[in-house]
Amino acid sequence: MKKLGLFVIAIGFMACQSENKSSNTADTANLATSTDSLTFKYDSVKVYSKTPVSINKTVTDTSKAVISYPLFNDEKINQFIESKIKLTADSGKNYKTYNDYASDFIKGYDDFKKSEKDYPQTWFLDIKAKVVTQKPGYLSLLNTYVNYAGGAHPNSIFTYINYNPVTHQEILLDSLIQPGSMIKLTAIAEKIFRKNEKLSATASLKDGYFFEKDTFKLNDNFTITDQGLMFLYNPYEIKAYVYGTTELVIPFSELKEIAKPNSLLSHTN
């Protein structure tokens, strides 16, 4: 099992301003081209609060919201990605644009500071959607959502987005496996999980894990790698926050009787 560490980044801001602009830095501006002629570049929206964190004029820190995302030459793909990114909003609001999303977060901070003038910290929202796999018939992105609005640490959510750029449909797990095979897939995954965690086949999952009713369960947060079908559990999902994310890979060799023929999980694909 591979664990991704979580790092809290202290961000200092030198100016109080609001902006909505494209990002053209060296690590994001390069065009990426795939065999199915899709191209994309990374773009971003950035909104800063005009409310300083301190009445001391020498302290210029303020809150910031940044949303970075790939912009494809196919508008249908862009619309799908935008809809999935905006689902990570925890306000329950229906944002029309990335800028609306970022601006609402900053508005929340500004409204909070009106009643809590002595509050000493800034807030930040950092959302980054990154293309991890791009091939004919399959596009996978990892959407990283980090939100800090007070408290002991930021809230972090890592979500895979799977899409078929040919049919313009989201790829769901049920579309990749044989009907009625979820129980078998779960059993295979549990064996791998217990091996990774150094647990016996009968060891209870109550101690140190958050599985409901002491029963192992797969989630729907997955991607397809060169090694096989990988699931990702977020902080707090099955373990304490300190353990970060948990990855579980099911090799293609274990999916022979489960994968649908000619699917992304089959060896003949």
Side-chain angles (χ1 to χ4, degrees):
M1 181 180 305
K2 180 180 178 183
K3 301 176 182 177
L4 300 178
L6 297 177
F7 299 91
V8 179
I9 303 174
I11 302 175
F13 304 113
M14 299 305 297
C16 298
Q17 56 183 327
S18 176
E19 63 178 337
N20 177 3
K21 64 181 182 180
S22 297
S23 173
N24 293 313
T25 56
D27 62 338
T28 60
N30 295 331
L31 292 178
T33 306
S34 73
T35 55
D36 56 354
S37 301
L38 284 176
T39 60
F40 71 90
K41 63 181 179 180
Y42 286 101
D43 204 352
S44 65
V45 167
K46 300 179 182 179
V47 179
Y48 298 84
S49 171
K50 295 181 179 180
T51 305
V53 69
S54 173
I55 59 174
N56 186 338
K57 294 183 178 181
T58 63
V59 179
T60 58
D61 289 352
T62 190
S63 294
K64 179 181 181 181
V66 180
I67 303 176
S68 303
Y69 52 91
L71 193 62
F72 282 83
N73 61 329
D74 188 322
E75 188 56 30
K76 287 185 178 180
I77 299 177
N78 295 332
Q79 291 174 357
F80 172 78
I81 294 173
E82 183 172 355
S83 68
K84 298 299 287 187
I85 289 177
K86 289 187 294 188
L87 280 177
T88 60
D90 55 7
S91 66
K93 298 179 181 179
N94 183 20
Y95 300 112
K96 292 183 178 180
T97 66
Y98 289 124
N99 189 72
D100 288 345
Y101 189 169
S103 297
D104 189 60
F105 178 82
I106 295 303
K107 182 179 182 300
Y109 171 76
D110 291 340
D111 290 344
F112 176 78
K113 281 290 289 184
K114 289 178 182 178
S115 60
E116 301 292 337
K117 299 184 185 301
D118 295 330
Y119 182 74
Q121 295 176 299
T122 58
W123 291 5
F124 67 84
L125 174 68
D126 187 3
I127 299 175
K128 183 178 296 183
K130 180 181 179 181
V131 175
V132 293
T133 303
Q134 186 182 7
K135 61 177 67 175
Y138 184 50
L139 177 65
S140 180
L141 300 91
L142 177 61
N143 186 43
T144 302
Y145 171 94
V146 185
N147 171 325
Y148 181 76
H153 53 70
N155 295 312
S156 304
I157 302 174
F158 303 86
T159 307
Y160 280 105
I161 301 171
N162 300 287
Y163 186 74
N164 187 327
V166 178
T167 63
H168 291 292
Q169 293 179 325
E170 182 176 7
I171 298 175
L172 303 176
L173 184 60
D174 285 345
S175 69
L176 302 176
I177 62 177
Q178 299 279 11
S181 61
M182 192 63 196
I183 294 177
K184 188 171 185 178
L185 179 63
T186 301
I188 293 172
E190 182 173 3
K191 288 182 180 179
I192 296 173
F193 178 82
R194 287 178 175 274
K195 180 180 179 180
N196 291 342
E197 296 291 307
K198 297 179 174 55
L199 298 172
S200 70
T202 58
S204 173
L205 296 176
K206 290 181 180 179
D207 297 329
Y209 303 96
F210 303 152
F211 291 109
E212 187 176 356
K213 297 181 180 180
D214 194 23
T215 302
F216 176 84
K217 185 178 180 179
L218 285 171
N219 60 17
D220 57 1
N221 192 13
F222 72 91
T223 188
I224 302 168
T225 71
D226 292 338
Q227 289 72 43
L229 178 62
M230 186 182 82
F231 291 86
L232 185 148
Y233 294 94
N234 275 287
Y236 283 136
E237 188 173 359
I238 62 171
K239 296 180 183 178
Y241 178 87
V242 67
Y243 293 104
T245 58
T246 301
E247 294 180 358
L248 191 157
V249 179
I250 304 175
F252 289 115
S253 59
E254 298 282 352
L255 300 171
K256 291 180 179 180
E257 298 179 5
I258 294 175
K260 284 185 177 180
N262 301 316
S263 73
L264 292 166
L265 298 183
S266 65
H267 290 277
T268 58
N269 185 59

